[in-house]
Amino acid sequence: MKKDKNRVYIFDTTLRDGEQSPGYSMNTEEKLLLARQLERLGVDIIEAGFPIASEGDFDAVKQIAREIKKSQVAGLARANKTDIDRAWQAIKGAANPRIHTFISSSDIHLKYQLKKSREQVLKEAVAAVKLAKSYTDNVEFSPMDATRSDKDYLVDMVSAVIDAGATTVNIPDTVGYAIPEEFGRLIAYLFAHVQNIDDAIIATHCHNDLGLAVANSLAGIRNGARQIECTINGIGERAGNTAMEEAVMALQTRKDLFGLYTKINTDQIYKTSRLLTQITGISVQPNKAIVGANAFAHESGIHQDGLIKEKITYEIMTPQSVGISDTHIVLGKHSGRNAISHHLKKMGYLLNDEQLNKVAARVKDLADVKKDIYDEDLEAILSEEIYRGEDKYTLVYLNVVSGNVAIPTATMEIQVGDEIVRKAGFGNGPVDATFAAIRNITQTNYPLMKYIVNAITGGSDAQGEVTVQLKYNEHSVVGRGAHPDVLVASAKAYINALNRLEFIKSNRKKVKVVE
Ligand code: KIV
Ligand code: ZN
């Protein structure tokens, strides 16, 4: 196939590198939802997971591979037979499967981690690519910690894996050490010294430890790379990866400079970002570029004045171009099931009858206490009713007594499996009492690391969106709940965190092996 030299491929690793980071673990159903949305977003390659890492990862990759048709589906594998065979078993059902295999190339990793010589590692890299190639033509290779590797050894490795059949070679800045100019120079060096470089696409995979992941990726692109590895909202190991929305919108907004294009449907960006925060319960900071709550909010009088006169004065891209619409009010008290279904379809959610009934009932309840229902409210309901696995605990009843003369007391019923358990809890305040009741019923006592309350949309009738983070061994788990009553939202969020924790305990015996 002839290469289009102006096209930049977008490789999304939210479900692999992103999912590895604390608080972002997802169950298979949630991964599928996100994969479907990534396909709608138009990403070229979805890295669906690391199949050798756990049974759960393997199953999720397999299901995504079976279902996703338009995007390529990649499975990650270390450069050894067991990993590569397992990755292939997981992705072989895909319309366009890709094996992504990797081994470190820096002397630091070779000496302290792999304890192998350069020659040995080079041999293993080539053998891994050849084995992957025996399964599929679509093989990607990554020399891990490339930016701290000896340049000429890197040249040898890149050219050897291309000879062995790698069609994409990714240059990871694994520890987020590079500075844009330097990263750009490294890519240029490879183009100047790897004889067969035109036989592969060169990719960037930048971590954000110095806050430079997007800048480094763009520097790589300026110097010939044509694939960006990135994640939604920039999630990923430590400080995260290149944020897809930022890299894509930079390429689009500064087309005059780059002269390149991607096949991303940018109007799906905001929805994808929201879906990820709904699933994981972790919001982006308000000033986050492109998808933060303030990204398009102009506060200064001078700016507002300019905008009224002519948008171009202070707006370099429109909110609509990333899928943020001007008017958000969507439904109200009188919206029927059809209107809800129609609107959800417009938002990109196709529900079956049972799911629609659940959502419609929740919308009706909400409309009783809240005049206008926004997209964000619907998404909050969807995340509670639909994007959930089997829950061990369900909130049935909550009554809280509080005030300046009462001892805050919560009486609560929770369904635990088939049984309904009722207990009370006391605390310093109503939230504390609510959480105490939950701990008494569930016989758990995980340290509470974070408790955050946000209003979804404006107004005093807005739903409260609560995020709770609990500590479990060296992990943490996040739960989310939304309700017009903040105490109910808090109870739901705490219970959601416990359900997620149960899921993690039973499904993830995962050993973290890579960054
Ligand atoms: O950061 C890294 O080096 C990785 C590789 C597995 C590509 O995630
Ligand atoms: Zn990485």
Side-chain angles (χ1 to χ4, degrees), residues 13 16-17 20 47 76 100-102 140 142-146 170-175 205-207 229 237-238 241 514-515:
T13 183
R16 199 278 298 167
D17 210 321
Q20 273 174 213
E47 186 162 55
L76 185 68
H100 176 193
T101 185
F102 71 97
E140 170 169 337
S142 293
M144 185 146 99
D145 204 19
N170 175 37
I171 306 301
D173 183 24
T174 304
V175 291
H205 177 113
C206 299
H207 279 269
E229 304 207 354
E237 275 285 333
R238 308 180 308 278
N241 289 63
V514 289
E515 297 183 327

